[in-house]
């Protein structure tokens, strides 16, 4: 009852006049190099007016961005390392008529601050948020530019290791700029003249700049064998469903357990030799003492079963039992208790399976269905307009797949995605997040019998955030598009295409991986 009340209150708050700017990218990428003829459409950060003398010219990606109706040209790179801080500078030119407060479209706080950028370290499996000092973002604020005028949008980030030489820049509306180099040098200074409102853009003050950074977690579920994989910076957990492995209250492996054991063994072998920890878990049914004993017996049974294909000399094993003390999710109902009944095999690796996914019939959906080439057109609820969803670029980046979803308004009226791509206010992790309904966190990826979910990171204990667009409450003008940036665990290397799905809302099949 309390859950339903919270959800209802949350929905009411967001349906009542939520019109502040929010992150949602839109772009049509056209990479160019400094000095190339196409660069005349936008600024080059190798220009001496924007960079210090010690910064050598490096490749800059320039793209046109439709930011809520403002036509911009944005040039990014390089990231400048100054002491313990890395500074992002994006030369931004307004192409459309009039003037625009350009920071507001790229704000995570729905203000005029350029604080919505995130840096993604795929090799280190970390994300960095814009730094703050004294409660304020260390970033460009309240800059307005006129048609044809260029200004740098800047944000600082701390905590990036000195060994990191490139990062991906994730930006609302603009999408992902991949593999932007990190170089040492002076921070680019903004022009000394006033902007279109007569204000002077101040250089960033990096004193006391501190970023929140967090490890990236990936999660996938193989329904055919009862195997759930969660991988992070500290290693991989293969969660074997004990409802498949064992009968009720038993520690004897069933005849059906062989497929699950074989799938887990294949993933461990793909990661290479190394120690394994096999841990038993139960739900909270029964006594604490009984659950502790049962979890140990089940862990021992799995450890014994995998020792043949994974000999101790190459994969030494430690058996542990946690009983009911470490639930994956709160024991609130039958479904959550089933998730908590598991045996976990933990090891070092990136969690990417080497095995090609088995072909499978996709689950039924009540939503609109289309192939990637044509896209799928959706009339949004409550007369919020009509949008055609098409896939954009899909590329492998280390252990991850970065994929763009393009939302284009096709009707005569503006369209607002709002809660169409979100998940419930109680997330897949069973955490309460009132914003989870209003972003892109509900998009999942099908690859054969495997379902993968958006990467996420823990901002605060018990507060995980999707590495995706968090708020999609701004209208898309007629004929305009937004690019939604999505990150998933990478499928096996030979995978040629995947399916994007929002349960009972939309499905895009045959999305190619380039």
């Amino acid at each position: 009852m309390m859950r339903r009340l919270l959800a209802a209150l949350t929905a009411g708050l967001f349906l009542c006049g939520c019109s502040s700017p929010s992150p949602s990218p839109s772009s049509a990428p056209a990479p160019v190099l400094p000095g190339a003829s196409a660069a005349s459409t936008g600024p080059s950060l190798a220009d001496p007016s924007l960079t210090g003398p010690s910064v050598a010219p490096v490749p800059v990606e320039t793209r046109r961005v439709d930011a809520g109706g403002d036509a911009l040209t944005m040039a990014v790179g390089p990231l400048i390392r100054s002491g313990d801080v890395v500074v992002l500078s994006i030369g931004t030119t307004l192409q459309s008529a009039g003037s625009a407060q350009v920071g507001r479209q790229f704000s995570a706080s729905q203000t005029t601050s350029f604080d919505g950028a995130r840096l993604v370290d795929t090799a280190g499996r970390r994300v960095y948020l814009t730094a703050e000092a004294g409660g304020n973002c260390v970033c460009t604020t309240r800059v307005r530019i006129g048609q044809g005028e260029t200004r740098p949008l800047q944000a600082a980030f701390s905590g990036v290791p000195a060994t990191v030489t490139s990062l991906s820049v994730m930006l609302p509306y603009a999408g992902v700029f991949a593999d932007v180099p990190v170089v040492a040098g002076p921070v680019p200074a903004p022009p000394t003249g006033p902007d279109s409102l007569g204000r002077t853009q101040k250089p960033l003050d990096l004193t006391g700049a501190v970023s929140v950074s967090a490890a990236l977690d990936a999660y996938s579920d193989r329904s055919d064998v009862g195997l759930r994989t969660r991988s992070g910076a500290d290693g991989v957990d293969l969660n074997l469903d004990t409802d498949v492995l064992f009968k009720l209250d038993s520690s004897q492996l069933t005849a059906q357990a062989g497929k699950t054991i074989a799938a887990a063994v294949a993933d461990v072998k793909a990661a290479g030799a190394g120690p394994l920890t096999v841990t038993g878990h139960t739900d909270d049914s029964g006594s604490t003492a009984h659950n502790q004993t049962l979890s140990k017996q089940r862990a021992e049974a799995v450890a014994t079963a995998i020792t043949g294909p994974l000999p101790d000399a190459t994969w030494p094993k430690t058996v542990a039992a946690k009983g009911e003390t470490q639930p994956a999710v709160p024991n609130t109902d039958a479904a959550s208790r089933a998730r908590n009944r598991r045996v976990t095999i933990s090891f070092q690796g990136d969690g990417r399976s080497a095995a090609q996914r088995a072909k499978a019939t996709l689950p039924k959906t009540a939503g609109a269905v289309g192939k990637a080439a044509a896209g799928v057109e959706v009339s949004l609820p409550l007369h919020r307009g009509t949008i055609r969803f098409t896939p954009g670029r899909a590329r492998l980046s280390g252990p991850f797949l970065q994929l763009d979803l393009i939302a284009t308004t096709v009707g005569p009226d503006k369209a607002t995605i709002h809660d169409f791509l979100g998940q419930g206010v109680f997330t897949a992790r069973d955490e309460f997040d009132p914003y989870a309904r209003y972003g892109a966190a509900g998009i999942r990826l099908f690859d054969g019998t495997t379902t993968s979910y958006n990467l996420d990171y823990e901002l605060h204990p018990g507060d995980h955030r999707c590495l995706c667009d968090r708020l999609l409450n701004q209208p898309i003008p007629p004929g305009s598009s937004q690019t939604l940036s999505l990150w998933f665990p990478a499928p096996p290397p030979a995978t040629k295409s995947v399916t994007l799905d929002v349960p009972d809302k939309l499905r895009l099949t045959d999305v190619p991986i380039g």
Side-chain angles (χ1 to χ4, degrees), residues 378-402:
V378 176
S379 294
L380 298 172
L382 302 177
H383 306 289
R384 294 203 309 266
T386 303
I387 287 180
R388 178 173 295 279
F389 291 95
T390 55
R393 178 181 62 178
R395 67 180 190 92
L396 295 172
S397 182
F400 306 133
L401 171 66
Q402 195 277 303

Side-chain angles (χ1 to χ4, degrees), residues 348-498:
Q348 289 300 310
D350 62 14
R352 187 175 184 183
S353 174
Q356 188 68 14
R357 310 295 196 207
K359 291 185 177 180
T361 301
L362 293 172
K364 293 181 179 180
T365 180
V369 179
K371 291 191 174 182
V376 59
E377 189 170 304
V378 176
S379 294
L380 298 172
L382 302 177
H383 306 289
R384 294 203 309 266
T386 303
I387 287 180
R388 178 173 295 279
F389 291 95
T390 55
R393 178 181 62 178
R395 67 180 190 92
L396 295 172
S397 182
F400 306 133
L401 171 66
Q402 195 277 303
L403 190 151
D404 292 336
L405 180 64
I406 314 298
T408 303
T409 300
V410 295
D413 302 316
K414 62 186 180 182
T416 306
I417 296 174
H418 202 50
D419 59 355
F420 190 72
L421 303 177
Q423 55 182 319
V425 294
F426 289 95
T427 69
R429 286 184 177 269
D430 212 35
E431 296 173 349
F432 177 70
D433 180 358
Y435 292 91
R437 292 182 59 191
Y438 302 100
I443 303 173
R444 57 187 182 174
L445 183 145
F446 290 147
D447 173 27
T449 56
T450 298
T451 303
S452 297
Y453 299 86
N454 276 284
L455 302 187
D456 66 9
Y457 54 93
E458 192 170 39
L459 190 61
H460 306 290
D463 180 11
H464 287 82
R465 301 292 176 86
C466 171
L467 188 63
C468 64
D469 295 282
R470 184 161 167 78
L471 286 177
L472 297 173
N473 61 342
Q474 290 303 292
I476 307 172
S480 294
S481 299
Q482 289 187 2
T483 300
L484 312 181
S485 299
L486 308 170
W487 296 79
F488 296 99
T495 304
K496 301 299 182 183
S497 65
V498 293

